[in-house]
Amino acid sequence: MNWRIVSFAASLVPFVIIAISFNVKPEDIFAVGIVGFLAAFAAMMCKLLLQGIKFYYIIRVFHGRLETFWKTIFVRIGSEFVTLTTPMFVGGEVVRIYWMNKRGINTAKASWIGIFEIVTEVLAAGLVSIIAGIVAIISGYSAIGILVLGTSIPIVSLWAGLFFSTGKKTYQVPEIFVNLAVRIRKEKGQQYIQKTNQWMDDICTMSRENFRSKDAKRAFAISFALSLASWLVFGISFMLISSGTENTVSAIDSILAVMAGNAIGNLPITVGGSGLTEFGVWAYLNHLAEFKLELPENSVEWNTIIAWRIATYQLPIPIAWFLLMKMALRKYQKVE
């Protein structure tokens, strides 16, 4: 069976279980109203658009014009299909690196641009998620706050630490993996290690060259700002969809809850954080102070959370898939 169909189906399972467990019927989901539903979907697409603009901007700064403005944006949106259908939201950067490489950027440079982009994304999302975790703990709902901080801080620290340290240190494949590769594949394993070490060396060299320039610092600041804007727009999506219900959520609460859910969705347990993200939003808005099996019935309605998830996750997946096939993975001739 095609992997994209399997991934999409797997992403549906957790909130189908939620719907059955809490007796959420289709008419309950439709009760949120078409206006709020479409507004939440529009917020998600606006987030993807801002990410596309950032991707285009970074390429222009570090390489020059590669493709038209809209084609580049469509490729960035298309790569989200992979991001949304894998654990920990990873893989989209590989699609973008592949696309840049096919358009004439060497692998090391394309990889560095891809890493630069994803680091600004992770830092912006991580910053808001960490704020959400701190606010939760200060406000007394420590269980969800600790969980959010426990997922956000390690991810942000890992990405930021590795990326910024490449400007001072050259990384190579750890000895334990070298020995393992040579033992399993012998000469081919040694060749793979040499190529990987060369790739890592080239990335570190690019970091040292670019980190010293004012253009790189300005590009990082602008990219971070665009990333932050995209996450804030995504954050208000729950407020928009809740406006059609009896329990309207404020913009601040919506942003913090959505980013808390997004942070928990990074746990490598389900495809695209399905189930985890919904739980995170529910737990944050209901001020979960301790973990327990009994979930209160009089809380933020699950039909709103499921409708929000459909609008901001399930609907964008086929759109991203279409753009992935149309723009990112179709055959190109390399630019001379």
Side-chain angles (χ1 to χ4, degrees), residues 218-329:
R218 182 171 61 251
F220 188 88
I222 293 174
S223 299
F224 178 81
L226 286 170
S227 293
L228 187 59
S230 71
W231 286 113
L232 293 178
V233 169
F234 175 53
I236 66 171
S237 60
F238 195 84
M239 178 197 72
L240 295 173
I241 205 165
S242 70
S243 62
T245 68
E246 295 180 358
N247 300 316
T248 301
V249 176
S250 69
I252 297 298
D253 286 342
S254 175
I255 291 170
L256 295 179
V258 167
M259 295 311 296
N262 185 76
I264 296 172
N266 278 291
L267 294 172
I269 299 174
T270 63
V271 173
S274 188
L276 297 173
T277 304
E278 292 92 322
F279 168 77
V281 172
W282 175 88
Y284 199 92
L285 291 176
N286 287 287
H287 303 168
L288 192 66
E290 59 180 334
F291 293 114
K292 53 186 179 181
L293 295 177
E294 301 83 13
L295 301 180
E297 295 182 0
N298 296 323
S299 59
V300 173
E301 297 176 354
W302 276 106
N303 66 317
T304 307
I305 294 176
I306 293 175
W308 168 77
R309 188 65 164 160
I310 293 172
T312 61
Y313 179 72
Q314 295 298 331
L315 283 187
I317 285 179
I319 296 173
W321 165 250
F322 172 78
L323 293 175
L324 178 69
M325 293 294 100
K326 185 71 175 177
M327 296 292 177
L329 298 184

Side-chain angles (χ1 to χ4, degrees), residues 55-114:
F55 183 51
Y56 176 82
Y57 167 75
I58 293 173
I59 292 175
R60 287 296 298 265
V61 170
F62 294 108
H63 178 77
R65 188 178 185 276
L66 185 65
E67 263 289 7
T68 64
F69 177 75
W70 284 109
K71 281 186 179 180
T72 305
I73 288 177
F74 290 157
V75 165
R76 179 60 178 82
I77 296 175
S79 69
E80 283 296 294
F81 173 79
V82 179
T83 302
L84 295 172
T85 54
T86 55
M88 293 187 72
F89 308 116
V90 298
E93 58 275 9
V94 176
V95 173
R96 298 190 288 275
I97 291 169
Y98 170 84
W99 177 79
M100 287 186 283
N101 182 249
K102 289 300 180 182
R103 296 300 296 141
I105 302 181
N106 67 67
T107 302
K109 188 174 185 180
S111 299
W112 190 85
I113 291 173

Side-chain angles (χ1 to χ4, degrees), residues 104-273:
I105 302 181
N106 67 67
T107 302
K109 188 174 185 180
S111 299
W112 190 85
I113 291 173
I115 294 171
F116 184 95
E117 188 219 3
I118 201 66
V119 165
T120 59
E121 201 76 8
V122 170
L123 286 178
L127 173 63
V128 184
S129 297
I130 289 170
I131 291 173
I134 293 173
V135 169
I137 292 175
I138 293 175
S139 301
Y141 31 111
S142 55
I144 186 63
I146 291 172
L147 182 57
V148 171
L149 293 179
T151 54
S152 300
I153 293 176
I155 292 173
V156 171
S157 300
L158 179 63
W159 276 98
L162 287 176
F163 180 67
F164 290 114
S165 64
T166 57
K168 299 178 180 179
K169 179 181 179 180
T170 298
Y171 286 98
Q172 297 286 267
V173 178
E175 193 67 26
I176 184 173
F177 295 117
V178 173
N179 296 333
L180 186 62
V182 172
R183 184 179 303 172
I184 295 175
R185 299 301 302 274
K186 297 184 171 36
E187 291 184 5
K188 285 189 175 181
Q190 186 63 45
Q191 292 175 1
Y192 294 150
I193 293 297
Q194 290 175 351
K195 290 181 180 179
T196 303
N197 280 335
Q198 183 60 53
W199 173 73
M200 295 171 71
D201 182 73
D202 290 342
I203 289 177
C204 293
T205 299
M206 287 199 64
S207 292
R208 286 191 290 272
E209 293 174 352
N210 285 304
F211 284 166
R212 298 190 186 101
S213 69
K214 292 183 179 179
D215 287 343
K217 294 177 181 178
R218 182 171 61 251
F220 188 88
I222 293 174
S223 299
F224 178 81
L226 286 170
S227 293
L228 187 59
S230 71
W231 286 113
L232 293 178
V233 169
F234 175 53
I236 66 171
S237 60
F238 195 84
M239 178 197 72
L240 295 173
I241 205 165
S242 70
S243 62
T245 68
E246 295 180 358
N247 300 316
T248 301
V249 176
S250 69
I252 297 298
D253 286 342
S254 175
I255 291 170
L256 295 179
V258 167
M259 295 311 296
N262 185 76
I264 296 172
N266 278 291
L267 294 172
I269 299 174
T270 63
V271 173

